[in-house]
Amino acid sequence: LCGGEPVRTGFPSFAKNDTLYFAHARDGVRGIYRSTLKDDDYQTPEFVCKVFHNEILLGDLYINPDEDYLIISCIDPEGKLTNPELDLILLFKQDDGSWSEPINLGDQINTKHSEENCPYVTWDGKFFIFHRYEPAKKVGRLYWMKADFLTGKR
């Protein structure tokens, strides 16, 4: 519950200040939302940003502890930035508090005919972990790699 109401979302993520980030559709607006903790209760979700102009699906999300960047699994409805399946997309927080245009994490992570989701960076910022599901094989696997490539995408 956030602000006393149930929230339907993909995998949420917490910043180090306990702010909860998640993908959500509220009042017909689909995008990324956050809820702050006040007096041991999470407040009514507030809209943060859209990933694409017309989101079809937003899923699991990771926010880094300092809220400098986030990674989300999603589908680009125009098919310009993602495969037809779920891909992992990176957004950076700008100096003015807005969020960058979405950045595809590339072919090493986002592969055709598979779905990438469940992004996570270890607490020390060293490793990036994600899940890949291959529908044709009906198999899912966890992958990991050094996370230093993320800041190089800025």
Side-chain angles (χ1 to χ4, degrees):
L1 292 176
C2 288
E5 65 183 69
V7 174
R8 184 170 180 228
T9 179
F11 191 79
S13 184
F14 290 92
K16 71 179 174 187
N17 64 5
D18 291 326
T19 298
L20 176 66
Y21 282 77
F22 49 94
H24 182 51
R26 182 179 172 82
D27 300 326
V29 179
R30 188 175 294 166
I32 297 170
Y33 286 77
R34 70 177 162 224
S35 178
T36 55
L37 183 64
K38 182 179 178 185
D39 300 325
D40 293 328
D41 189 25
Y42 278 94
Q43 303 303 298
T44 300
E46 62 179 310
F47 178 76
V48 174
C49 69
K50 291 178 95 37
V51 179
F52 297 107
H53 178 63
N54 295 313
E55 274 99 9
I56 293 175
L57 175 66
L58 295 174
D60 307 329
L61 181 143
Y62 168 80
I63 184 81
N64 84 317
D66 295 324
E67 300 172 271
D68 294 332
Y69 67 86
L70 61 86
I71 304 167
I72 188 164
S73 60
C74 58
I75 296 173
D76 175 0
E78 296 177 6
K80 294 177 182 174
L81 193 64
T82 67
N83 295 312
E85 300 83 14
L86 284 171
D87 276 352
L88 294 175
I89 300 299
L90 174 67
L91 291 95
F92 287 101
K93 192 172 196 178
Q94 306 298 305
D95 291 337
D96 65 2
S98 65
W99 291 85
S100 71
E101 291 295 315
I103 302 165
N104 187 299
L105 287 182
D107 294 341
Q108 183 180 8
I109 294 167
N110 294 319
T111 57
K112 291 185 178 181
H113 311 297
S114 65
E115 299 174 358
E116 287 78 24
N117 55 22
C118 303
Y120 183 75
V121 178
T122 56
W123 64 269
D124 58 6
K126 291 184 179 180
F127 297 100
F128 173 60
I129 301 165
F130 67 97
H131 177 262
R132 177 179 294 141
Y133 176 70
E134 299 176 56
K137 296 178 182 178
K138 295 187 173 143
V139 64
R141 293 186 177 99
L142 288 176
Y143 292 84
W144 67 273
M145 60 185 59
K146 289 186 177 181
D148 53 1
F149 79 96
L150 291 168
T151 54
K153 297 267 185 193
R154 189 180 276 275

